Amino acid sequence: DTGVSQDPRHKITKRGQNVTFRCDPISEHNRLYWYRQTLGQGPEFLTYFQNEAQLEKSRLLSDRFSAERPKGSFSTLEIQRTEQGDSAMYLCASSLAGVENIQYFGAGTRLSVL
Amino acid sequence: DAKTTQPPSMDCAEGRAANLPCNHSTISGNEYVYWYRQIHSQGPQYIIHGLKNNETNEMASLIITEDRKSSTLILPHATLRDTAVYYCIDGGSNYKLTFGKGTLLTVNP
């Protein structure tokens, strides 16, 4: 257990539905990251927050994706109008500023869009 | 795209040392090399990092060549629980990790 928790662990949804995932980072970590991982590939960066500010978004993060970290603690990632191509593992990680490349990952949320 | 190259897979006998190579020929002088691993159905786990000196911690040792163009992660006594995908990452960003496909290490009994 890394101390980063994600909920749910698995989500099955129908195409066109909206889904929301939650990530609770290690409490003293001010940076929070979202990655996406498809089968056979390494994780790909989506976005990150420092405290409550979203500082960077990948071009992978289409307009249907939105992430928030309202109080600088937990974060949510919402996907609207899901598509089959959204099926993937969504990973959350956290770190301390200053040691950004030592990130602690949660176990991920596996999304299946039917 | 990842700026490191690793073999897609390796095998190791349980109890033997596992030596995982990585090429990072474009790494800059002040960029660290990071190693992570991902056990099946889990998120990636940080292992070790280094700049130019060899490093050792409770999980592994990291050997970086003098020209810094390659490195080797060493698991001194591999166990079945070390079966995982191992990723070598150069620390070129201060906010994201760029993963390649990594090396699938299979530890055999």
Side-chain angles (χ1 to χ4, degrees), chain B residues 32-53:
Chain B
Y32 283 75
V33 177
Y34 294 80
W35 283 82
Y36 281 74
R37 74 179 183 184
Q38 188 172 22
I39 295 170
H40 183 62
S41 296
Q42 297 183 21
Q45 176 191 23
Y46 165 78
I47 301 172
I48 198 168
H49 72 283
L51 183 62
K52 56 183 178 180
N53 297 321

Side-chain angles (χ1 to χ4, degrees), chain B residues 30-90:
Chain B
N30 60 349
E31 291 176 355
Y32 283 75
V33 177
Y34 294 80
W35 283 82
Y36 281 74
R37 74 179 183 184
Q38 188 172 22
I39 295 170
H40 183 62
S41 296
Q42 297 183 21
Q45 176 191 23
Y46 165 78
I47 301 172
I48 198 168
H49 72 283
L51 183 62
K52 56 183 178 180
N53 297 321
N54 298 340
E55 302 287 345
T56 295
N57 64 18
E58 66 278 5
M59 290 184 68
S61 295
L62 176 60
I63 308 296
I64 303 173
T65 58
E66 192 168 344
D67 63 8
R68 301 209 333 116
K69 294 185 183 300
S70 65
S71 62
T72 301
L73 180 76
I74 301 172
L75 307 178
H77 306 287
T79 71
L80 299 179
R81 289 178 294 180
D82 292 322
T83 292
V85 178
Y86 287 77
Y87 298 100
C88 167
I89 300 169
D90 71 62

Side-chain angles (χ1 to χ4, degrees), chain B residues 1 17 24 26-28 59 77 82 96-97 106:
Chain B
D1 291 345
H24 33 80
T26 61
I27 196 168
S28 298
M59 290 184 68
H77 306 287
D82 292 322
K96 69 178 179 180
L97 299 171
T106 302

Side-chain angles (χ1 to χ4, degrees), chain A residues 2 9 31 33 35 37 40-45 48 56 89 91 100-108 110, chain B residues 32 34 36 38 40-46 49 87 90-102:
Chain A
T2 64
R9 290 294 311 277
R31 287 206 172 184
Y33 312 81
Y35 291 81
Q37 185 174 27
Q41 305 296 317
E44 296 174 290
F45 170 81
Y48 90 101
E56 188 69 29
M89 175 75 83
L91 293 159
E100 293 83 5
N101 287 332
I102 299 178
Q103 298 181 11
Y104 295 82
F105 284 79
R110 181 167 296 284
Chain B
Y32 283 75
Y34 294 80
Y36 281 74
Q38 188 172 22
H40 183 62
S41 296
Q42 297 183 21
Q45 176 191 23
Y46 165 78
H49 72 283
Y87 298 100
D90 71 62
S93 167
N94 68 348
Y95 65 87
K96 69 178 179 180
L97 299 171
T98 302
F99 292 84
K101 293 187 177 181

